[in-house]
Amino acid sequence: MILRSVIMVVVVVGILSSASQALRFELQSGHTKCISEDIKSNSMTVGKYHVVNPNEAYPLPDSLKFAVRVTSPQGNSLHTAEKVQTGQFAFTAAEDGDYMACFWAEDHSPQIIMTVDFDWRSGVQAKDWSNVAKKGQVDVMELELKKLYDTVTSIHEEMFYLREREEEMQALNQATTSKMFWLSFLSLFLCLSVAGIQFWHLKTFFEKKKLI
Amino acid sequence: MESKWGKIWGLIGLLLLNFVNNVSSLSLTITKVECVYEIVRSEGDIVSGNFVVVDHHIFWSSDHPGLDFSITSPGGDILHNLKGTSGDKFSFKAPRSGLYQFCFHNPLSTPETIAFYIHIGHIPNEHNLAKNEHLDPINVKIAELREALEAVTTEQKYLKSRDAVHRSTNESTKTRVIGYTVGEYMLLTIASVLQVIYIRRLFSKSVGYNRI
């Protein structure tokens, strides 16, 4: 009896809260909006998008349709869809770089502004935890801790990446400093040599003219 | 008996998993005003995030006033307002649940790109559960641990964006140093050659001896 009521409560609340949290933005008809994300190579990426219904009471009007295109940093199109109201895509990033998802809404005679709900997850967040849970009757707490472990690993990797970038920046700054040092010597040398050439040239010129 | 409680904890755990809210770090190009919306499910959730203007070279001339950033609560009051920034972190406790609006305003007409990241963290507490469930304190601790790790991840994304900005500044500094120095050398040489030519002309026979 207790179990049944608990299940009821959990299922009801679960359904109410199961709409995945995502960011929303407004898309004006005739305009394009692009969102890009820096994704590391070999990380799994999952994206879902749908139009938000402005009126909960009525079904979604057909006029609210948009086109989507997801491109890799090289320019290859990873996912395209025309005149859709909802969709999803998933890919494994082949290289590091900026992956861009562009949405555009066609021109409509009264300008309509539609709200698009876009959920883009990559790396740790994209992993399908429900499969892991199903596989071995895994205890929920163990699942949570597995997730935390994955998060910690990704933090660790990110720290390595930041450290590497720091080193590169330091090398760049060193190179700039040494270049400035040598260039200032070169400019002094150039200045003196130009003055010397001027002097020598004018001296021979005046000697030839028999003025000196 | 054991399996029944196991199932209940499993269901409650799955319910708690629904409350993991997260959004990836994204880049957006702003022409005039761009707003991003996020749903905060329960009051008391901590909303934290950061944004950085990626085209940092616009600030070098010190003419650019910077971007304006504002956070509006579902009630309509402005929680956070920043004028003329090139990037910032923010964190606040949501006073109520609903749709929060994060708006960026670009005062000039040239489009600017920003990289932003928003995270909404929820820690389950006694108030949210129905009467016949009770909260296992370890789940609260796990949620707190997860939130702490998410805070580290948020900070890392901020550092990564700032590092990218600094790198572009440094690379441009190096190019400009070399460019200006070489330009300076050429100007010096041209000026001295012109000087010599002018002096030669002053002394040339066609102009006339007695002028000097």
Side-chain angles (χ1 to χ4, degrees):
Chain A
M1 184 57 214
I2 295 175
L3 175 62
R4 194 159 289 206
S5 57
V6 168
I7 288 175
M8 273 303 299
V9 166
V10 169
V11 165
V12 165
V13 181
I15 286 173
L16 286 177
S17 61
S18 66
S20 65
Q21 287 289 297
L23 81 87
R24 296 182 170 194
F25 55 89
E26 285 175 346
L27 192 61
Q28 244 184 342
S29 54
H31 287 68
T32 313
K33 247 182 214 182
C34 288
I35 292 187
S36 61
E37 184 174 359
D38 199 1
I39 302 180
K40 284 209 184 63
S41 60
N42 294 329
S43 63
M44 177 69 183
T45 307
V46 162
K48 284 185 226 161
Y49 51 88
H50 65 90
V51 178
V52 169
N53 196 349
N55 270 335
E56 292 295 331
Y58 300 96
L60 203 53
D62 262 339
S63 58
L64 299 181
K65 290 207 170 140
F66 55 88
V68 187
R69 185 191 203 111
V70 181
T71 41
S72 75
Q74 306 289 348
N76 308 328
S77 171
L78 294 164
H79 169 83
T80 33
E82 298 266 337
K83 289 201 176 76
V84 286
Q85 293 189 315
T86 180
Q88 61 180 36
F89 58 88
F91 58 89
T92 309
E95 72 242 315
D96 279 347
D98 269 326
Y99 287 77
M100 192 152 69
C102 284
F103 299 83
W104 66 92
E106 291 158 358
D107 262 325
H108 207 260
S109 23
Q111 275 255 323
I112 38 171
I113 299 178
M114 57 178 111
T115 312
V116 177
D117 191 288
F118 184 43
D119 188 9
W120 195 344
R121 296 154 187 267
S122 65
V124 169
Q125 298 147 22
K127 202 161 162 181
D128 193 4
W129 290 102
S130 53
N131 276 345
V132 176
K134 273 184 218 150
K135 261 186 213 165
Q137 296 289 84
V138 176
D139 187 21
V140 172
M141 208 168 299
E142 200 179 317
L143 186 68
E144 277 295 305
L145 292 174
K146 271 194 174 40
K147 266 196 185 184
L148 288 178
Y149 180 73
D150 267 359
T151 312
V152 168
T153 315
S154 77
I155 287 177
H156 202 193
E157 280 169 11
E158 190 83 13
M159 286 304 251
F160 283 142
Y161 171 76
L162 285 175
R163 209 193 280 179
E164 230 178 73
R165 293 276 292 193
E166 187 86 36
E167 267 176 48
E168 282 172 19
M169 186 109 78
Q170 195 160 0
L172 180 69
N173 283 343
Q174 283 280 62
T176 308
T177 314
S178 77
K179 275 213 169 63
M180 277 177 65
F181 178 70
W182 289 115
L183 282 177
S184 66
F185 272 122
L186 185 62
S187 83
L188 184 69
F189 172 72
L190 190 80
C191 196
L192 290 174
S193 64
V194 161
I197 289 174
Q198 266 189 325
F199 169 74
W200 168 82
H201 182 85
L202 286 174
K203 186 158 184 248
T204 46
F205 176 69
F206 285 138
E207 277 169 356
K208 254 201 302 189
K209 295 264 178 205
K210 302 201 180 82
L211 283 173
I212 296 178
Chain B
M1 191 63 195
E2 268 305 314
S3 67
K4 181 173 111 173
W5 284 110
K7 275 186 202 155
I8 291 178
W9 290 128
L11 288 170
I12 293 175
L14 282 173
L15 172 60
L16 289 175
L17 284 180
N18 272 329
F19 287 105
V20 176
N21 304 325
N22 212 334
V23 165
S24 317
S25 134
L26 301 165
S27 307
L28 199 58
T29 311
I30 307 170
T31 21
K32 262 277 167 234
V33 178
E34 288 289 338
C35 287
V36 166
Y37 304 88
E38 282 283 336
I39 304 174
V40 175
R41 282 209 207 116
S42 55
E43 84 169 71
D45 281 357
I46 311 241
V47 180
S48 59
N50 51 62
F51 72 97
V52 168
V53 178
V54 168
D55 315 328
H56 210 73
H57 57 86
I58 54 172
F59 295 110
W60 293 338
S61 59
S62 73
D63 268 354
H64 200 283
L67 255 54
D68 303 332
F69 172 65
S70 68
I71 305 178
T72 315
S73 78
D77 27 80
I78 298 183
L79 293 169
H80 208 75
N81 204 348
L82 281 166
K83 294 221 176 281
T85 52
S86 64
D88 204 16
K89 295 197 289 192
F90 59 86
S91 167
F92 62 91
K93 197 163 176 176
R96 45 177 281 198
S97 62
L99 196 72
Y100 280 76
Q101 197 177 0
F102 302 85
C103 281
F104 302 93
H105 171 242
N106 184 5
L108 302 182
S109 51
T110 43
E112 307 299 343
T113 313
I114 50 150
F116 69 93
Y117 180 73
I118 303 168
H119 170 63
I120 303 168
H122 174 84
I123 297 177
N125 57 20
E126 292 288 328
H127 303 297
N128 299 342
L129 301 178
K131 279 188 206 141
N132 28 6
E133 301 169 7
H134 88 93
L135 192 64
D136 194 357
I138 202 169
N139 283 335
V140 179
K141 281 292 167 210
I142 289 180
E144 282 176 13
L145 187 59
R146 184 175 52 228
E147 284 312 308
L149 287 179
E150 290 296 338
V152 176
T153 311
T154 309
E155 189 70 25
Q156 275 190 329
K157 293 207 194 276
Y158 184 54
L159 289 175
K160 189 169 162 188
S161 324
R162 278 172 64 103
D163 173 84
V165 167
H166 289 155
R167 176 71 164 263
S168 79
T169 307
N170 286 347
E171 278 176 353
S172 150
T173 302
K174 182 176 172 195
T175 329
R176 281 186 303 156
V177 159
I178 295 179
Y180 291 165
T181 317
V182 169
E184 178 195 323
Y185 293 168
M186 293 208 288
L187 269 178
L188 181 68
T189 326
I190 290 171
S192 66
V193 164
L194 285 174
Q195 269 183 325
V196 170
I197 289 175
Y198 181 62
I199 291 176
R200 281 172 73 117
R201 261 220 305 170
L202 283 175
F203 285 94
S204 69
K205 284 204 180 111
S206 59
V207 173
Y209 238 81
N210 302 329
R211 277 188 52 201
I212 313 306

